[in-house]
């Protein structure tokens, strides 16, 4: 794999989950303030379409809705990243599988690090659903910070109101 200069932006893989929010907050604690960042939400339009694509690849209402939701999530993540000390820009992009789009975006933007939350799947759910975080880490030459939100994994018992 090609090397990178290490001066690129932080790439946040953001899905709106408590895990991805915790990853942004943790990166804000661990990484230098003021760094540029891209908050990427990847959506899978083909996976959500139960029937054949529309004629001439015109977007369907479902695809348009997915794109709007992805843009909204990317905006939300960028706001959180800004509040955590980053100069962040949102990005919503289609991709399948999701990990490949994250790896490709990291390369395209020459990201210095990829930051993402992990849902902490184990056993059968890991086997059936896989792990986007694990696949991303396996397939990129970039450093990857994977954050587990312990409070979320415990059912929010440790959080205050």
């Amino acid at each position: 794999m090609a090397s990178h200069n290490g001066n690129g932006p932080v790439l946040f893989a953001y899905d709106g989950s408590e895990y991805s929010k915790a990853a942004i907050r943790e990166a804000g604690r661990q990484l230098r303030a003021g760094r540029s960042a891209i908050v990427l939400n990847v959506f899978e339009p083909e996976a959500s379409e139960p029937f054949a694509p529309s004629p001439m690849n015109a977007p369907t209402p479902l695809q348009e809705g997915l794109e709007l939701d992805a843009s909204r999530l990317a905006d939300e993540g960028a706001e959180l990243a800004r509040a955590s000390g980053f100069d962040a820009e949102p990005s919503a992009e289609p991709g399948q599988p999701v990990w490949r789009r994250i790896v490709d975006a990291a390369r395209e933007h020459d990201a210095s690090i990829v930051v993402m939350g992990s849902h902490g799947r184990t056993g059968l759910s890991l086997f059936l659903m896989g792990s986007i975080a694990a696949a991303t880490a396996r397939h990129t030459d970039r450093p990857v910070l994977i954050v587990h939100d312990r409070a979320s994994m415990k059912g929010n018992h440790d959080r205050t109101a």
Side-chain angles (χ1 to χ4, degrees):
M1 292 187 181
S3 64
H4 55 92
N5 67 23
N7 295 322
V10 174
L11 179 71
F12 291 105
Y14 185 78
D15 65 2
S17 68
E18 288 304 313
Y19 302 97
S20 61
K21 291 174 184 177
I24 290 174
R25 289 189 296 268
E26 185 61 28
R29 287 188 283 274
Q30 291 191 27
L31 303 176
R32 182 181 80 248
R35 290 179 71 162
S36 65
I38 298 160
V39 178
L40 174 66
N41 179 270
V42 179
F43 60 100
E44 297 179 280
E46 297 85 14
S48 62
E49 237 3 280
F51 305 106
S54 61
M56 297 193 298
N57 294 325
T60 65
L62 179 59
Q63 288 172 336
E64 289 173 349
L66 286 171
E67 199 166 329
L68 285 173
D69 287 346
S71 292
R72 181 188 55 76
L73 281 172
D75 288 340
E76 171 189 289
E79 280 298 316
L80 181 57
R82 288 184 204 109
S84 296
F86 296 93
D87 180 17
E89 295 297 323
S91 179
E93 301 177 17
Q96 196 173 18
V98 170
W99 67 263
R100 182 172 293 140
R101 183 67 222 128
I102 295 167
V103 168
D104 290 347
R107 186 184 62 252
E108 291 162 8
H109 294 286
D110 196 22
S112 59
I113 187 169
V114 177
V115 177
M116 55 197 320
S118 173
H119 290 254
R121 291 186 181 99
T122 59
L124 186 59
S125 67
L126 177 62
F127 176 74
L128 294 174
M129 298 176 72
S131 168
I132 293 170
T136 300
R138 270 195 314 273
H139 291 92
T140 187
D141 63 342
R142 315 287 162 160
V144 179
L145 172 61
I146 300 173
V147 176
H148 301 272
D149 181 15
R150 289 176 191 86
S152 290
M153 291 189 294
K154 292 178 185 175
N156 295 322
H157 297 278
D158 296 335
R159 291 202 175 161
T160 58

